[in-house]
Amino acid sequence: MTAQFSTARPVVRDADDISALVNAGPAAGSHARMVVALALGGVFLDAYDLTTLSWGITDVQAHFGLSAFQTGLVAAALNAGTIAGSLAGGWLTDRIGRYAVFMADMVCFVIAALVAGLAPTAGILIAARFAMGFGVGMDLPVAMAFLSEFSRLEGRGSKAAHAAAWCPTWYAASSACFVIVFVLSHVLPATHPDWLWRASLAFGAVPALAIILVRGRYMSESPVWIARRGDLTRAADILRRSYGVDPIVQPARGRAPVVVQADPWRLVRKPLLGRGLLVCSMTLISAMSYNIIIFGLPTLLVSIMHASAVQVVVISILLNLAVAFPGGLLGVRLARSVRSRPIILAGYIMQVAGVGLLAVTGVPHGTVGVVAALAGFAAFLFAQGFGPGCQLMVYPTLSYPTELRGMGIGVARLVSGIGGTLVLLSFPWMNAQMGPALFWLVLLAPLAGVVITCLSRWDVFGYDPDMDPALRQPVRATQHDTVPADPELLFSSDIGN
């Protein structure tokens, strides 16, 4: 018997039907993969900007004659910017849509990178780094929203897998940053050490410009966000253009369009409050440990292993490409097929072992000590890649419904920004005062992660909050309810044509 396939076009009657079509997955040849790639491109920029001065901070200190506290201000300025950017970006992402916020933060990246690279004073450099951080804070909520709202629910290319992909993307950007620094260090004259950190900072404008140039062909507003704002017709049109699905819009007779309220106060009420506390705990733990390990890696390699400048760059590249990046790829694979809690727990346990090894080793002596220290760094980064690193964005992305996703992720990044700022501000002093004993303090972070994960029961695997009846608070649209004007027009090259 020949199999019969239905060629009927799907019918859309409400926002849930739009979500169901997105959850079923895009058609072959659609632009959905490019939307995901461009969103991850924003994450790439976030990581590149954060990693850049981990190499050049000592040259910045020498160039401007900074004290340890002033050096900490330069290092912490980006994270401080994320505090403001996270709340603003999260709120705007839910309020005016994903597309306009995404393009605005790309423009922010370009301007801030160029100003930082040309900064004549430390004050201007700090201000430019703060602006970069503001862009990073704006970007992650909108990037995660795009990844979730242009992805299927289960299987390869699922929401969880695409959200987890932020982690290997981050490591790829860190590796690219170190490779660029390595190449520039051999091209630029050694008599001008400031040229190296200036060029590496300014280079961050290049990928942002590339994203801006190609956005018109592939990027669209989120169909799920548009549908939950009450505009089914426009949501269906986006699905046709970007998802390869051609639905028929047939709203139920006698029913006005339904708008789902974006009430931020829901974040402090059950069940979202408990989820938010868990997400913020995970975020703070990573901010306290990862920032010291990755940002302080070059400094720590020099201080405890007496590595040369070239050795520092080579070791950093190898740890990112050969250890952290594969860990992130494994995390993406696990996110689409394994429940989230066991993955996080395994990652924290491995981090306890890695940081514990660094703490016990202290200042390495001989080959055995050097190998032990490198193994400690490697264990931490690999565990971060497949465990809490990947899940750090999976959890907030899949815990909040569309109308609150930006704010939920923004609050998590706010916590990360505060934690990271305090760590980076105090790192130069702590490193000078404690040396390798600093690892005993870092060890507390993954230990806390083990305890919290064991106590928590919340798991986001295979979960779509938009389809959860317990989270729905719709209100019928009235004549005063309007959907915002198409934000894509704000950045369209076709205006006036």
Side-chain angles (χ1 to χ4, degrees):
M1 178 181 293
T2 303
Q4 299 293 320
F5 297 94
S6 174
T7 60
R9 294 165 60 189
V11 176
V12 169
R13 293 185 172 84
D14 53 32
D16 286 349
D17 290 336
I18 294 290
S19 295
L21 290 175
V22 171
N23 287 346
S30 70
H31 291 166
R33 288 187 178 181
M34 279 302 301
V35 173
V36 169
L38 289 171
L40 289 174
V43 176
F44 184 97
L45 281 171
D46 299 343
Y48 179 90
D49 287 338
L50 180 64
T51 308
T52 306
L53 280 191
S54 65
W55 161 263
I57 192 65
T58 54
D59 289 333
V60 171
Q61 182 179 25
H63 180 77
F64 292 114
L66 305 179
S67 65
F69 177 75
Q70 291 171 323
T71 304
L73 286 178
V74 174
L78 188 143
N79 278 79
T82 64
I83 296 174
S86 295
L87 284 182
W91 183 79
L92 288 172
T93 295
D94 291 337
R95 181 70 177 177
I96 67 173
R98 284 53 169 141
Y99 184 89
V101 176
F102 182 75
M103 297 313 305
D105 76 66
M106 289 299 106
V107 174
C108 181
F109 278 133
V110 173
I111 296 175
L114 294 177
V115 172
L118 300 172
T121 66
I124 293 178
L125 177 59
I126 290 172
R129 292 280 291 172
F130 183 89
M132 283 184 179
F134 191 88
V136 170
M138 288 179 64
D139 181 70
L140 282 173
V142 70
M144 292 302 111
F146 268 127
L147 293 176
S148 172
E149 293 156 23
F150 277 89
S151 303
R152 66 176 74 246
L153 181 59
E154 298 177 342
R156 186 173 184 178
S158 67
K159 299 178 187 294
H162 280 161
W166 91 287
C167 193
T169 301
W170 193 279
Y171 287 133
S174 299
S175 302
C177 179
F178 284 121
V179 169
I180 289 171
V181 169
F182 183 77
V183 172
L184 290 176
S185 66
H186 287 77
V187 174
L188 299 175
T191 54
H192 295 277
D194 63 306
W195 288 11
L196 180 57
W197 61 261
R198 290 182 184 278
S200 59
L201 283 173
F203 186 82
V206 175
L209 281 171
I211 291 175
I212 291 173
L213 291 175
V214 302
R215 91 303 185 210
R217 180 175 178 181
Y218 300 107
M219 294 293 285
S220 298
E221 184 53 82
S222 162
V224 180
W225 181 83
I226 286 293
R228 293 173 79 84
R229 300 286 294 189
D231 193 342
L232 298 180
T233 300
R234 186 170 152 212
D237 183 60
I238 293 172
L239 287 180
R240 293 187 194 98
R241 289 187 285 116
S242 299
Y243 220 64
V245 178
D246 187 15
I248 300 173
V249 178
Q250 293 182 353
R253 292 184 178 181
R255 291 180 58 185
V258 172
V259 177
V260 183
Q261 289 182 317
D263 178 12
W265 292 108
R266 291 172 59 193
L267 296 176
V268 294
R269 296 196 293 265
K270 293 182 178 181
L272 297 183
L273 175 60
R275 300 177 188 181
L277 290 175
L278 174 61
V279 168
C280 288
S281 299
M282 294 168 54
T283 302
L284 187 60
I285 287 169
S286 284
M288 300 295 287
S289 57
Y290 180 80
N291 276 300
I292 289 180
I293 295 294
I294 196 64
F295 190 90
L297 179 61
T299 303
L300 294 169
L301 289 175
V302 172
S303 61
I304 72 174
M305 295 178 60
H306 308 292
S308 67
V310 174
Q311 289 173 330
V312 168
V313 176
V314 171
I315 292 172
S316 298
I317 294 173
L318 289 176
L319 285 174
N320 273 280
L321 283 181
V323 179
F325 183 68
L329 293 179
L330 175 61
V332 174
R333 180 65 180 85
L334 293 174
R336 73 181 195 228
S337 56
V338 180
R339 297 188 68 82
S340 298
R341 282 186 65 251
I343 299 173
I344 298 175
L345 184 60
Y348 281 139
I349 292 173
M350 190 171 183
Q351 285 185 337
V352 168
V355 178
L357 183 58
L358 286 169
V360 171
T361 302
V363 178
H365 299 284
T367 303
V368 175
V370 171
V371 170
L374 291 177
F377 280 119
F380 178 90
L381 292 174
F382 185 77
Q384 182 74 7
F386 78 79
C390 275
Q391 296 295 325
L392 199 61
M393 282 298 156
V394 174
Y395 260 76
T397 301
L398 299 185
S399 289
Y400 301 105
T402 294
E403 64 275 8
L404 293 173
R405 184 167 289 126
M407 277 295 295
I409 298 173
V411 170
R413 301 318 299 167
L414 168 68
V415 172
S416 177
I418 293 174
T421 299
L422 293 176
V423 166
L424 295 179
L425 188 62
S426 59
F427 174 76
W429 180 86
M430 288 192 299
N431 185 50
Q433 297 296 317
M434 301 179 66
L438 178 61
F439 291 119
W440 289 108
L441 183 62
V442 177
L443 183 61
L444 297 176
L447 281 173
V450 171
V451 174
I452 292 172
T453 306
C454 289
L455 294 177
S456 171
R457 290 292 180 266
W458 174 241
D459 199 305
V460 297
F461 180 74
Y463 175 72
D464 181 5
D466 288 337
M467 305 300 285
D468 186 347
L471 297 182
R472 294 179 185 171
Q473 290 190 352
V475 294
R476 291 197 182 282
T478 69
Q479 59 182 348
H480 302 292
D481 292 319
T482 59
V483 177
D486 191 344
E488 297 171 44
L489 296 179
L490 296 175
F491 295 90
S492 174
S493 59
D494 296 330
I495 294 179
N497 293 342

